[in-house]
Amino acid sequence: AQSVAQPEDQVNVAEGNPLTVKCTYSVSGNPYLFWYVQYPNRGLQFLLKYITGDNLVKGSYGFEAEFNKSQTSFHLKKPSALVSDSALYFCAVRDSGTYKYIFGTGTRLKVLA
Amino acid sequence: KAGVTQTPRYLIKTRGQQVTLSCSPISGHRSVSWYQQTPGQGLQFLFEYFSETQRNKGNFPGRFSGRQFSNSRSEMNVSTLELGDSALYLCASSAETSGKSDTQYFGPGTRLTVL
């Protein structure tokens, strides 16, 4: 079965420091991986996705993600965190058989001023 | 293009009642999925409709049902509401023109409170 794991419930980082939100996946076949962000009382907003090609994917708001096939990881990164980046982040993979999107449990990012 | 819209945004019901939530996908999108989000359980998949047919289903009781119309708009219905049904219900749509790489876009959600 396809799955994603977000090992950290919460990540704290100081403003201006680089941030990383971790995601690992388990799929059969080629992975289609996504990152979303959710601000309070809002729906999820798409940040970026990996389909194929370059292992470093660039997305919205200065975020990027690194796809690592050998480690089955798709970590979200940003070189310099902003307080406004504080939100809930979800990693997702699309099941190649059923087409379902499978979401991780979410990681709460807190950027401290 | 307008984004995914959901109505109503907020809803208060009492136990035993039923409720219908509506979702209008992005124009041209053929797939609509529904999710339940609660603080304790996270994001739980309810079901997905594609071209008016239910393509996928999550592990929810039969009180939760949905449908999709020919214009791709979707509704979900919850009958005999329970306190535990209080949640943010999210709708998401995708075009399904590029296969598995398509991105799902979410609406703002409907906040349902069951008293």
Side-chain angles (χ1 to χ4, degrees), chain A residues 1 4 32 35-36 69 73:
Chain A
V4 291
Y32 297 92
W35 274 104
Y36 289 85
K69 189 172 183 177
S73 67

Side-chain angles (χ1 to χ4, degrees), chain A residues 5 13-14 19 31 40 55 63 66 70 77 83 94:
Chain A
V13 64
L19 70 86
N55 291 341
F63 283 94
E66 187 171 10
S70 62
K77 298 174 186 280
V83 171
R94 194 154 198 204

Side-chain angles (χ1 to χ4, degrees), chain A residues 56-110:
Chain A
L56 188 65
V57 180
K58 293 192 182 297
S60 306
Y61 313 120
F63 283 94
E64 55 192 28
E66 187 171 10
F67 172 70
N68 188 316
K69 189 172 183 177
S70 62
Q71 297 186 3
T72 61
S73 67
F74 188 54
H75 299 334
L76 183 70
K77 298 174 186 280
K78 188 173 182 183
S80 178
L82 300 172
V83 171
S84 56
D85 292 329
S86 298
L88 187 57
Y89 290 81
F90 290 94
C91 179
V93 66
R94 194 154 198 204
D95 187 300
S96 59
T98 66
Y99 282 67
K100 278 170 66 173
Y101 294 83
I102 299 165
F103 285 82
T105 51
T107 297
R108 190 164 299 281
L109 173 67
K110 276 195 173 180

Side-chain angles (χ1 to χ4, degrees), chain B residues 54-75:
Chain B
Q54 188 180 82
R55 182 161 70 173
N56 284 297
K57 191 177 187 309
N59 297 321
F60 278 79
R63 300 185 296 107
F64 292 82
S65 63
R67 59 179 176 167
Q68 185 181 34
F69 301 97
S70 57
N71 61 358
S72 291
R73 191 177 69 84
S74 177
E75 289 181 347

